[in-house]
Amino acid sequence: MLKRVRSTPSFVLWMVGLTGLLLVSMGLGVIIGSADLSLGTVTDAILGRLGLTSGVDILDEHIVVDLRLPRVVGAAVIGAGLAVCGAVLQSLTGNQLADPYILGMSGGAALGASVVLSTGIGFGTLAGGPVVSLAAFVGSMSALVLVFAISVTRGGALMPGRLILAGVAVGLLASALSSGLIYFGPHGTAERVMFWSLGSVAGVRWNTMLLTVVVTGVTVVVVLFCARTLDAFAFGERAAASLGTNVARTRWALYALVSLCTAVLVALSGIIGFVGLVIPHLVRFLVGPLHARVLPMAVLVGALIVVWADILARSLMHARELPLGLVTSAIGVPAFIWLLRRQKGFE
C-alpha cells in the first residue's frame, strides 16, 4: 500500500474540509452549464418546486430541479461508490491495481449495452437510458457469475489470484463479443457503444437514481462496519482468521456486495475509469491505511472528483459535451503518476 510520506492535518479536519468543498462543488455544478444560472435563480427554482415561493420561471425550474440537480447528485453518488468499491477490492484481492471492474464487469456491461445498441432497441437513448441500463446491469452480473463459477474452489472459497485471472479472461471474452457486434452491427453502432462505454451522467434522473443511491448507501454502511476486517485482510488471510473472521464467508459477502454496487453504478452511468483505482491510493497517501479512515474519506474524494469531472465535461467545449470517462482518465493518469513519483512506486 502507499504510505504517507509527510504529516497531514487530522482526519476530522480532512473530513470537515472535504464535506464543505463537496457541498460547494455540487452547488457550482448546478449553476455552471450551457445555460449559466445565478445562485438566486437556483435557489428560487428549488424553493418554487417545494412550493415555498411563486413566480418562478418554469424553464429555470425544470433545468435546475429536473436536469442539473439529479445529474450532480448522481455524479457524487457514482464517484463515492466507485472509490469505496475500489478500496475494498484492493484489500480483498491484495492487488494494488484492483479497481471495481477487475472481475470482468465492465466487459460484461459493455457487451450487454452493445447487444441493445447494435439491435436498435436502445437507439437514441443516452447512457443510463432504461433499456441500455438494464442490459448493462444484466451483462455485468452475468459476467460476475461466470467469474465466480470459474474461480471458486471445490471447498467453496474464492481465491483472489484465481478471481483476478478469471475476471481478465471473462472481460476479454466479453470485449471480443462486443467488438463482433459492433463490426457486424448497423451504421452508427460503434459511435453509440463508444459514447456509452466512456460514461456519462447526462441521462441521470431522480426516478432512475433511487436504486443506485440505496445500493451505494447500503454498501458504504456495510463496508464501514467491516473496516477492521478489511484491515486484517490487508495482512493476509491468517491475520483475518486470527480476529475470528470467517474468511470464506466474509470474502463471498463483500465480493457480492461491492460487485452488485458496481453493476448498479455501471448501469446508471456507463464505464467511468480510474476513479476506483486512483482514489483509494490517494486517500491512503493522505490519511494512512486504516479502513476506518480510508473508506469515509474515499466517499468524499470520489464524489468530489466525479462532480468536478462532470462540470468540466459539459463546460470545456461550447457546443459539445465530453464523455465523463475521458475527463476522469485525464485527471486520473497524472494523479497516479504523481503518486508513484512521490512514493517511488508501490511498496
Side-chain angles (χ1 to χ4, degrees):
M1 292 185 181
L2 286 170
K3 299 177 182 179
R4 287 183 296 175
V5 296
R6 60 177 181 174
S7 60
T8 61
S10 71
F11 173 67
V12 174
L13 289 178
W14 271 116
M15 293 296 292
V16 172
L18 286 170
T19 300
L21 185 59
L22 176 60
L23 293 175
V24 171
S25 299
M26 293 176 70
L28 290 174
V30 178
I31 294 173
I32 299 172
S34 57
D36 287 336
L37 304 172
S38 67
L39 178 60
T41 300
V42 171
T43 303
D44 289 341
I46 296 174
L47 293 177
R49 180 58 62 91
L50 295 175
L52 300 178
T53 187
S54 59
V56 179
D57 185 88
I58 297 177
L59 180 58
D60 288 341
E61 182 178 320
H62 174 67
I63 292 174
V64 170
V65 180
D66 298 325
L67 299 180
R68 291 195 184 170
L69 266 178
R71 179 171 185 156
V72 170
V73 174
V77 172
I78 290 165
L82 289 176
V84 166
C85 290
V88 172
L89 286 172
Q90 286 170 8
S91 296
L92 287 178
T93 62
N95 188 331
Q96 298 188 56
L97 292 178
D99 71 355
Y101 310 128
I102 197 171
L103 301 183
M105 300 183 70
S106 60
L111 177 58
S114 298
V115 169
V116 171
L117 293 172
S118 64
T119 57
I121 299 174
F123 181 77
T125 60
L126 292 169
V131 179
V132 182
S133 295
L134 178 60
F137 178 80
V138 172
S140 60
M141 293 305 295
S142 299
L144 178 68
V145 170
L146 182 56
V147 168
F148 281 172
I150 295 171
S151 57
V152 68
T153 65
R154 292 183 179 181
L158 290 172
M159 305 304 294
R162 293 178 66 171
L163 266 175
I164 293 172
L165 291 174
V168 171
V170 171
L172 291 174
L173 173 62
S175 297
L177 294 175
S178 298
S179 299
L181 288 171
I182 292 171
Y183 183 80
F184 292 105
H187 178 72
T189 298
E191 182 179 353
R192 293 194 296 272
V193 173
M194 183 181 68
F195 177 81
W196 180 88
S197 64
L198 289 175
S200 174
V201 289
V204 174
R205 301 292 181 266
W206 295 117
N207 60 338
T208 61
M209 190 173 55
L210 178 60
L211 177 63
T212 306
V213 172
V214 172
V215 172
T216 304
V218 170
T219 300
V220 170
V221 171
V222 171
V223 298
L224 281 173
F225 182 77
C226 298
R228 289 190 61 192
T229 302
L230 289 169
D231 289 338
F233 271 115
F235 294 98
E237 292 187 3
R238 290 185 178 181
S242 68
L243 295 178
T245 302
N246 186 318
V247 173
R249 185 171 61 188
T250 302
R251 280 193 187 278
W252 270 105
L254 290 177
Y255 275 131
L257 181 62
V258 298
S259 297
L260 175 62
C261 183
T262 300
V264 172
L265 294 171
V266 170
L268 182 69
S269 64
I271 302 169
I272 300 174
F274 278 94
V275 176
L277 172 63
V278 176
I279 298 303
H281 291 300
L282 176 61
V283 170
R284 293 188 189 101
F285 175 79
L286 295 173
V287 298
L290 294 179
H291 286 81
R293 294 189 173 192
V294 168
L295 295 173
M297 190 162 168
V299 168
L300 295 176
V301 177
L304 184 64
I305 292 298
V306 177
V307 166
W308 271 106
D310 179 55
I311 293 174
L312 293 174
R314 52 192 161 96
S315 304
L316 288 177
M317 299 183 68
H318 176 68
R320 188 174 185 180
E321 181 172 317
L322 293 173
L324 185 55
L326 184 63
V327 180
T328 57
S329 297
I331 297 172
V333 171
F336 204 49
I337 293 173
W338 178 80
L339 285 171
L340 289 173
R341 295 286 296 175
R342 290 299 303 267
Q343 195 60 24
K344 305 300 182 183
F346 291 110
E347 297 182 0

